[in-house]
Amino acid sequence: GVGSTETGGRNRRDLVTGLAEAAGSTETASVAAAHHRRNGVLAMGWPFTRFIRRWGRKPLAELPGPGRGGAASTARADLAVRDYCDAVAAELDAPWPAAVRSAAASERDMLLDGLRSSVGSAAVAAGRRPRWWTLVAWLQRVFAATAVVGLVWLVAVAVLGGFFRFDTEPLLPDTPGVDWVPIPTLLLLGGVIVGLLIGFLVRFPLGVAAARRGRAARKMIEDDVSDLADNRIVEPVGRILADHRRVEELLTRARG
């Protein structure tokens, strides 16, 4: 009988969607966003608390994908391919459906390797740092240094002006100040407060950028999977269907 030869259109879109989910496009988008957010916080957060965050959750360790604890992901990829083969060969007589499945199965290992690669490349791209992070990081260093100068100054005043106080000349001159607040106190509090404020404020644009990176990672996977599906599934299956059409044409001529 005359079978379906529709290898593109909806059947292909369903295949790409299924393979992208099998590769972990949704999970990778979430991981890429979290990775970008974490890198931003480490780069632009308050310097004296970064070392604590470095011991926290590392999103890249949670990357999904077939072959990485991915029995379920591999099964989803196999299901997507099987559904595609069943759809395009739904009306074909034997032995053509089996030939279609065999053509797809011959590329299975290369397909799964490609799915793993697409996840890794998307995650690496999501880790690239924007230039504005560098400016904020330097500002944080400046305010951190300001706070340290204020702290050291206050400690020096307390030690030399308190513990080592003599009845004659003091070891330190009077501490300058603005109104009733000493300058070292201003340096310490100003450095800490401004640094923490910057660390808080950058979280808003960082959240927006992280979400954008997540979407970009997902699109990158879907684009890679689209090419992969064409090369490893659609084209081999298309060749089988082309053979089927030629055989059908020959049979029609022979009967006519």
Side-chain angles (χ1 to χ4, degrees):
V2 178
S4 170
T5 58
E6 179 57 60
T7 58
R10 179 178 177 181
N11 291 330
R12 180 184 175 281
R13 287 195 299 271
D14 290 344
L15 172 66
V16 171
T17 299
L19 291 178
E21 287 299 321
S25 59
T26 300
E27 296 89 342
T28 301
S30 176
V31 167
H35 177 62
H36 187 77
R37 190 180 299 109
R38 178 178 185 270
N39 281 348
V41 170
L42 289 176
M44 299 181 289
W46 182 235
F48 299 113
T49 60
R50 289 178 193 169
F51 73 95
I52 299 176
R53 296 191 180 96
R54 291 186 187 278
W55 294 96
R57 172 191 171 217
K58 294 179 175 59
L60 286 186
E62 303 170 10
L63 274 179
R68 187 163 187 171
S73 297
T74 301
R76 286 202 299 268
D78 289 338
L79 179 61
V81 173
R82 185 167 64 248
D83 287 346
Y84 175 77
C85 292
D86 290 345
V88 299
E91 301 174 8
L92 299 182
D93 293 332
W96 294 104
V100 166
R101 289 191 292 271
S102 178
S106 67
E107 300 284 344
R108 180 178 184 272
D109 290 341
M110 296 296 292
L111 175 69
L112 294 180
D113 287 343
L115 294 180
R116 283 190 290 269
S117 176
S118 68
V119 169
S121 61
V124 169
R128 294 172 185 163
R129 299 187 176 192
R131 293 180 180 178
W132 67 274
W133 287 14
T134 303
L135 174 61
V136 176
W138 275 106
L139 284 176
Q140 287 287 44
R141 294 188 186 101
V142 169
F143 288 113
T146 300
V148 169
V149 169
L151 178 62
V152 171
W153 193 344
L154 285 175
V155 170
V157 169
V159 172
L160 298 180
F163 294 108
F164 298 99
R165 195 180 190 93
F166 297 93
D167 293 333
T168 58
E169 294 295 325
L171 293 180
L172 289 177
D174 292 337
T175 303
V178 177
D179 293 333
W180 57 273
V181 182
I183 285 182
T185 302
L186 285 176
L187 293 177
L188 175 61
L189 293 180
V192 171
I193 292 172
V194 175
L196 291 176
L197 182 61
I198 290 175
F200 173 76
L201 292 177
V202 297
R203 289 175 180 265
F204 295 99
L206 185 58
V208 174
R212 186 167 60 248
R213 286 299 177 95
R215 291 192 297 271
R218 179 168 189 157
K219 186 177 186 305
M220 184 177 294
I221 290 176
E222 291 173 346
D223 290 344
D224 287 348
V225 167
S226 179
D227 292 339
L228 190 64
D230 285 339
N231 295 332
R232 301 300 175 189
I233 305 297
V234 176
E235 290 181 7
V237 167
R239 287 193 290 268
I240 297 298
L241 296 179
D243 290 343
H244 169 265
R245 285 193 298 272
R246 284 193 293 269
V247 170
E248 287 290 307
E249 290 171 1
L250 292 173
L251 289 175
T252 300
R253 291 177 186 175
R255 293 179 189 134

